[in-house]
Amino acid sequence: ICVTSIPGKPQGLMYEKGSSVSCDVELAHMWFSLASCKGHADAVKQIRELENKMTLLEIEKAQDLAKKWKPMK
């Protein structure tokens, strides 16, 4: 999953809060996962907090999205 030059955390917050985008916990989780790979330690905390509000299916989908994510060229 870990890729260089991923903004990640700001997008995670946008999707978690529904700021300028529709609220989507799966996409928020994906962006926080990508940010954690880039070394944002607080993203791990945000993932744990999000997972407390998510179903197992949502978590699995979010993890799959993070694995399949590729930066735009």
Side-chain angles (χ1 to χ4, degrees):
I1 303 174
C2 297
V3 184
T4 58
S5 71
I6 306 167
K9 189 170 175 260
Q11 286 86 343
L13 292 170
M14 286 174 49
Y15 282 102
E16 179 183 18
K17 306 293 182 198
S19 302
S20 302
V21 294
S22 297
C23 183
D24 188 321
V25 292
E26 292 166 4
L27 286 175
H29 188 291
M30 178 198 78
W31 283 112
F32 288 140
S33 293
L34 294 170
S36 71
C37 287
K38 196 170 179 197
H40 294 283
D42 55 333
V44 175
K45 179 184 171 218
Q46 289 168 301
I47 290 168
R48 289 186 185 131
E49 289 174 5
L50 256 183
E51 286 182 348
N52 287 328
K53 305 175 207 172
M54 297 172 74
T55 66
L56 183 57
L57 186 61
E58 289 173 323
I59 294 168
E60 289 172 353
K61 184 175 176 188
Q63 291 170 338
D64 189 52
L65 288 170
K67 287 177 190 172
K68 292 179 179 177
W69 185 87
K70 295 199 181 357
M72 293 178 66
K73 294 181 181 185

